[in-house]
Amino acid sequence: MAEVGPTMIKRRGFVNLWVTAREAFWLALETLRVHKLRSFLTLLGVVIATTTLISVMSIVNGMNLYIADRIANLGSNVFIIHQWQWAQGYESWLKARRRNKPVRMEEYEFLKENLANYKNIGAEARMWGETDARYKGRILYDVSLNGTTPNMIDIGQAKVEIGRYITESDYDHSAMVCFIGRDLVDDFFPTVDPLDKEVTVRGIPFRVIGVAARIGTTFGQSQDKFVEIPLTTFQKAFVARPQLAVNVQAWNGQQMLVLEDAARALMRARRHIPYQEDDTFGINASETLMNAWRQLTGAIFAVTIGIVAVFMVVGGIVIMNIMLASVTERTHEIGIRKSLGARRRDILMQFIIESSVMAATGGAAGVVLSLIVSKIVDIFFTSSVPANAVVIGLVLSTGVGLFFGIYPASKAARLDPIEALRTEA
Amino acid sequence: MQENVTPRDSVMIRTENLWKTYEMGEAIAVQALCGVSFDIERGEYVAIMGPSGSGKSTLMNLIGCLDTPTQGRYWLNGNLVSELSDDELAYIRNKEIGFVFQTFNLLARATALHNVELPLIYNGTPAQERVEKAQDALRKVELGDRMHHRPNELSGGQRQRVAIARALVNNPSIILADEPTGNLDSTTGEEIMKVLDRLHEAGNTIVLVTHEHDIAAHAHRILHIRDGKIDRDERVS
C-alpha cells in the first residue's frame, strides 16, 4: 500500500541513470545476439574501417621499426657520395639517371687528398648483373660482388669473424684475394675451414682470406651473400673504370654535417658545376633515408585516413538507419516503458547505448581481424600492431555508433506514450 | 483565480472540472471530456463504465498521468499533477500508478521476473533489492514458480497476473485496470477479477475501466460516463 500523505516530487539523480544504463547495456548485447545476421551486415562498414585502420598502422609501424633497426644503420656518422640521391621518388630518380655522372676513382682520390678532418674515407664498387660463385662443383647464384678499399671494414656494416679483411698490401698489389659473407661459408664450407680455399667468382679464382660475421636479412634479402675483393683487383679483373660509392666517416654527428657541406663543395668545384645548377651527384646519409621514409609513410597515412573516414561515415549511416528501423519496430515497447515511468533520457540512453555497443562490437571485431591480418602480413613482409592503434580503433568505432545513434534515439525519446501504446506490437 | 486547496488526506483522487480537447486541424476540435469532477477516497473500488466514444479512455489516460487536461485540475495522493512536465509525469506514473492493460503489455523477450523488475529499474533500485521485490510481487499473484518464463510460455491468465505483479511492485497509490479481462475467456477473467478483489481487500485503491456490467459489478461504486460527462455516480453494495 502507498504511503499516507503527499509524496515529494524529487529530482532523480545520476544514480537512476546508471541503473538504466546497465539495463540498456545488457539489452544491447541481447539484441546483438538475437539479430546476428542483421547486426553483422549493419556493422560491416565499421568492421572494415577499423580493420583497415589498424592494419595499415601496423604495417607502417612494422616498417618503421624495421627501417630504424636496419637501413638507418648505415654505420654511425657515415655519409655516402654516389651518382644519385637514394629514396627520392621515381620521377627525380629518372632525371638524375640522365643528368648525373657516376663518381670515379679520380674523384675519390681527389676527395681523399683535399677533404679535411675526416675520420675515414673509403670507396666501393658494386658489380652489376648476375654474379655466381663456385667451389668444387657447388654453385651459388646472385652473389653481390664488391670492390673495396681496405678501410671499408672500419666504415661499413661488416665485421671480421674469421681470418682478416683486405689489407693495404692486398690493395697495392691487386691481390686476387676475397672476403666472403656467411652464406657462402654455409654453402661451400659447412665443415671445413674456409681460409685459403679458392672460390671462383665469374670464372676467376680468388683466395679466401676472411669471413664476415652474420648480418641478417633486410626486407627478405640476405645481406650475407657477398664477395669483397680489393678495388684495384676489381679494376684489373672486371671493370676498368668502375662507378663508385665514396663512404666518408666523420668523428661525430655535428662534424658530419660540416663534412657533408665540404664534400659537396669540393665535388661541385671539381665538376665545375655553376652556382645556380643542382648537384650532378648524390650525398646520402641515414637522415636522407629517414626523411624520405617519413614522407612516404605520411602519404600512405593520408590515403588510409581518407578510406577509413569514408567507411566510418558509411558504416555510421547504416547504423543510423538500422536504429531508425529498430525504433519503429519497438514503438510499442517504448510505450510500455514510458507508461512504467521511463523518462525521455532513459529512452535516449537505452538507444544510444545500443548503437554504441553495436558499433563497439564492430570495432572489437575489426581489432581481432586486424591482429590476424597483421600476423599473416608479418610472415611475408613486416607488421607490428601498436597499442595506440587498437585504442584509436575502438574509440573511433564507438564514437561513430554514439554519434549516428543520437538521431534515432531522440526520435524514440520523443514518442508520445499513448500513441506508442496504441501501435501494434 | 481558483483556490489552491489540497484535498484532505483520505482523498486519493480529486478531479475538478476536467476538460480535454483534441485539435484536429484548423476548424475542428473534439471535446473528449467536458468538465468531469469527482473524488475517489483511499481504499475505494471504483469502476468507470461507458460505451465507446464516451471519453472513458481519455479519462483513464488523464487519471493514469499519461496525458494532461486542457483545462481543470487533478490531484493524485495530494499532488497537483495536472500541470506537470513530461519528466515529472513519468516519475508520478512510476511511483503512484500501477497499470493493468487489456493486452497485458509485457515485454515479449523478457522473463516474467524481468518484466516485473522494470518499474524498479526506472526509479534506480539496485539489482539485489529489485529482484527481491519482484519475486515478492510474483508470489503475491501466485506465480512464484514461473518467474523465469517468457510471456509466450505463459497462458493469458498468467500473463495478466505478471502484469498485476508489475503494477504492484512499486507500492502504487492506485491500480488502474483498463479492460483487464478483455482478452481472456470468462473463467480466466473471473480468476483475474478475484485477484483484483483480493488486492482491494488488502487495502489498495482500485480504478477499473470497462464497458461490461459483470466486470463493473465487482466494484463498490460505478461512475457512468457518457459524451464526456459523468452521467451517474452509482453506489453498489
Side-chain angles (χ1 to χ4, degrees):
Chain A
M1 221 183 122
E3 298 141 11
V4 175
T7 42
M8 298 288 292
I9 299 180
K10 294 171 291 215
R11 293 258 160 273
R12 288 185 270 173
F14 277 112
V15 176
N16 290 12
L17 222 50
W18 170 243
V19 171
T20 316
R22 293 232 330 253
E23 149 96 348
F25 179 74
W26 291 113
L27 199 60
L29 287 180
E30 176 72 15
T31 309
L32 258 179
R33 197 183 64 84
V34 169
H35 295 280
K36 284 196 195 74
L37 180 63
R38 184 170 88 176
S39 306
F40 167 71
L41 292 173
T42 308
L43 296 177
L44 218 45
V46 171
V47 171
I48 292 176
T50 311
T51 310
T52 307
L53 179 69
I54 299 180
S55 298
V56 171
M57 281 179 80
S58 305
I59 293 177
V60 168
N61 187 45
M63 288 174 111
N64 280 341
L65 294 174
Y66 198 81
I67 296 244
D69 191 52
R70 297 197 184 284
I71 292 194
N73 223 356
L74 281 186
S76 42
N77 309 319
V78 170
F79 64 90
I80 299 177
I81 306 170
H82 195 232
Q83 182 180 357
W84 47 69
Q85 190 101 27
W86 302 338
Q88 64 183 317
Y90 191 60
E91 290 249 329
S92 18
W93 182 70
L94 280 180
K95 244 179 46 187
R97 279 210 72 178
R98 277 196 299 270
R99 68 185 289 271
N100 287 11
K101 299 195 198 56
V103 179
R104 301 286 184 195
M105 278 303 276
E106 313 87 66
E107 288 169 320
Y108 165 61
E109 302 290 347
F110 173 72
L111 282 171
K112 195 161 154 202
E113 277 289 320
N114 296 294
L115 189 61
N117 296 329
Y118 53 77
K119 184 172 175 200
N120 241 317
I121 187 169
E124 46 178 356
R126 185 158 298 202
M127 182 60 124
W128 284 95
E130 290 263 334
T131 298
D132 56 304
R134 293 163 197 262
Y135 176 71
K136 289 206 162 121
R138 289 202 179 87
I139 312 176
L140 211 64
Y141 293 104
D142 243 342
V143 177
S144 291
L145 175 59
N146 302 334
T148 62
T149 54
N151 49 19
M152 279 308 293
I153 192 67
D154 301 315
I155 304 175
Q157 266 188 315
K159 293 203 174 3
V160 179
E161 192 177 71
I162 305 174
R164 59 173 178 81
Y165 196 65
I166 296 160
T167 58
E168 289 292 344
S169 170
D170 294 327
Y171 188 79
D172 291 336
H173 295 104
S174 307
M176 304 295 284
V177 292
C178 66
F179 178 74
I180 58 177
R182 275 235 68 106
D183 280 358
L184 277 86
V185 172
D186 291 341
D187 216 69
F188 294 161
F189 314 108
T191 49
V192 298
D193 180 13
L195 293 182
D196 286 334
K197 303 286 187 299
E198 201 173 75
V199 171
T200 309
V201 180
R202 282 183 161 250
I204 299 177
F206 294 89
R207 184 166 59 89
V208 177
I209 48 146
V211 178
R214 185 176 300 284
I215 300 173
T217 55
T218 299
F219 285 129
Q221 303 271 59
S222 170
Q223 302 293 300
D224 296 304
K225 206 160 66 159
F226 64 82
V227 171
E228 290 190 345
I229 60 179
L231 185 51
T232 44
T233 315
F234 188 91
Q235 287 174 289
K236 188 175 82 178
F238 299 114
V239 182
R241 270 176 57 75
Q243 301 176 19
L244 299 179
V246 175
N247 289 242
V248 181
Q249 189 176 37
W251 293 98
N252 58 54
Q254 310 282 71
Q255 203 233 354
M256 186 170 88
L257 298 170
V258 174
L259 265 183
E260 269 186 53
D261 285 341
R264 178 174 282 112
L266 278 173
M267 286 290 291
R268 289 181 69 95
R270 184 172 161 96
R271 289 186 174 192
H272 306 296
I273 300 174
Y275 180 69
Q276 64 274 19
E277 281 197 24
D278 290 334
D279 296 342
T280 56
F281 52 89
I283 298 192
N284 300 283
S286 3
E287 199 47 45
T288 330
L289 277 182
M290 289 309 280
N291 280 339
W293 179 246
R294 266 182 223 117
Q295 272 189 327
L296 178 63
T297 53
I300 293 177
F301 232 68
V303 172
T304 308
I305 298 288
I307 295 176
V308 167
V310 167
F311 271 109
M312 279 294 186
V313 168
V314 168
I317 292 178
V318 170
I319 289 179
M320 181 172 80
N321 275 308
I322 291 295
M323 289 304 296
L324 280 172
S326 180
V327 167
T328 306
E329 229 173 64
R330 289 149 77 179
T331 302
H332 186 77
E333 176 194 320
I334 295 169
I336 296 175
R337 290 178 183 271
K338 285 199 164 197
S339 72
L340 298 177
R343 299 159 296 168
R344 282 197 189 175
R345 73 189 80 157
D346 294 315
I347 303 293
L348 192 74
M349 163 107 28
Q350 177 184 336
F351 282 92
I352 285 188
I353 287 187
E354 190 167 312
S355 63
S356 304
V357 165
M358 259 216 310
T361 307
V367 168
V368 169
L369 261 179
S370 64
L371 286 174
I372 296 173
V373 167
S374 181
K375 275 272 174 304
I376 295 176
V377 169
D378 202 33
I379 296 174
F380 300 104
F381 192 49
T382 176
S383 178
S384 160
V385 181
N388 68 337
V390 173
V391 172
I392 292 174
L394 285 174
V395 167
L396 197 58
S397 47
T398 308
V400 164
L402 209 149
F403 177 75
F404 283 94
I406 289 178
Y407 175 59
S410 69
K411 278 199 82 180
R414 278 179 280 136
L415 286 172
D416 174 49
I418 300 174
E419 286 298 325
L421 279 172
R422 276 207 206 108
T423 314
E424 288 281 314
Chain B
M1 168 91 177
Q2 292 167 302
E3 276 178 65
N4 193 356
V5 182
T6 311
R8 64 191 183 283
D9 274 357
S10 62
V11 171
M12 185 59 88
I13 292 178
R14 163 165 294 169
T15 66
E16 190 183 272
N17 204 24
L18 287 182
W19 284 77
K20 183 69 184 178
T21 312
Y22 293 108
E23 311 277 340
M24 327 277 263
E26 292 275 326
I28 309 168
V30 176
Q31 314 274 35
L33 290 180
C34 312
V36 170
S37 306
F38 57 83
D39 280 5
I40 295 181
E41 304 267 327
R42 193 177 300 282
E44 275 203 79
Y45 194 167
V46 180
I48 298 176
M49 231 186 101
S52 53
S54 55
K56 69 179 192 299
S57 304
T58 310
L59 182 57
M60 190 204 64
N61 287 339
L62 290 184
I63 295 177
C65 298
L66 286 166
D67 201 356
T68 47
T70 321
Q71 249 189 291
R73 296 191 289 180
Y74 168 29
W75 283 266
L76 173 59
N77 200 14
N79 297 303
L80 182 61
V81 300
S82 40
E83 281 142 29
L84 293 184
S85 67
D86 279 341
D87 275 2
E88 287 161 330
L89 282 178
Y91 179 80
I92 293 288
R93 284 198 296 270
N94 180 271
K95 270 263 172 278
E96 307 278 8
I97 317 268
F99 281 104
V100 180
F101 297 99
Q102 177 174 355
T103 53
F104 323 130
N105 283 349
L106 300 176
L107 295 184
R109 285 178 312 182
T111 59
L113 185 65
H114 194 77
N115 266 292
V116 176
E117 274 186 276
L118 269 185
L120 297 170
I121 288 176
Y122 289 121
N123 63 26
T125 312
Q128 184 155 1
E129 199 185 324
R130 271 203 322 257
V131 171
E132 278 168 17
K133 286 192 176 166
Q135 286 175 339
D136 266 347
L138 279 168
R139 280 190 210 109
K140 272 197 205 127
V141 297
E142 283 155 29
L143 279 179
D145 57 340
R146 301 233 191 257
M147 285 184 206
H148 301 289
H149 286 112
R150 301 218 145 77
N152 62 0
E153 295 162 353
L154 299 171
S155 69
Q158 287 168 334
R159 288 184 214 171
Q160 194 61 299
R161 284 194 223 212
V162 173
I164 294 175
R166 181 181 67 186
L168 287 176
V169 80
N170 245 341
N171 279 329
S173 297
I174 64 172
I175 295 175
L176 189 49
D178 177 24
E179 307 279 8
T181 58
N183 277 22
L184 305 170
D185 63 73
S186 42
T187 323
T188 322
E190 270 305 309
E191 279 173 28
I192 292 299
M193 288 315 296
K194 284 210 189 79
V195 174
L196 288 178
D197 292 346
R198 262 197 355 255
L199 289 178
H200 172 248
E201 279 153 34
N204 289 289
T205 310
I206 305 196
V207 177
L208 194 54
V209 176
T210 184
H211 67 277
E212 286 181 56
H213 283 284
D214 297 342
I215 301 300
H218 283 259
H220 297 177
R221 174 180 167 201
I222 303 179
L223 290 170
H224 295 266
I225 183 170
R226 178 176 227 101
D227 295 330
K229 290 196 179 71
I230 301 290
D231 209 23
R232 192 157 52 106
D233 191 342
E234 186 186 339
R235 299 268 163 191
V236 183
S237 65

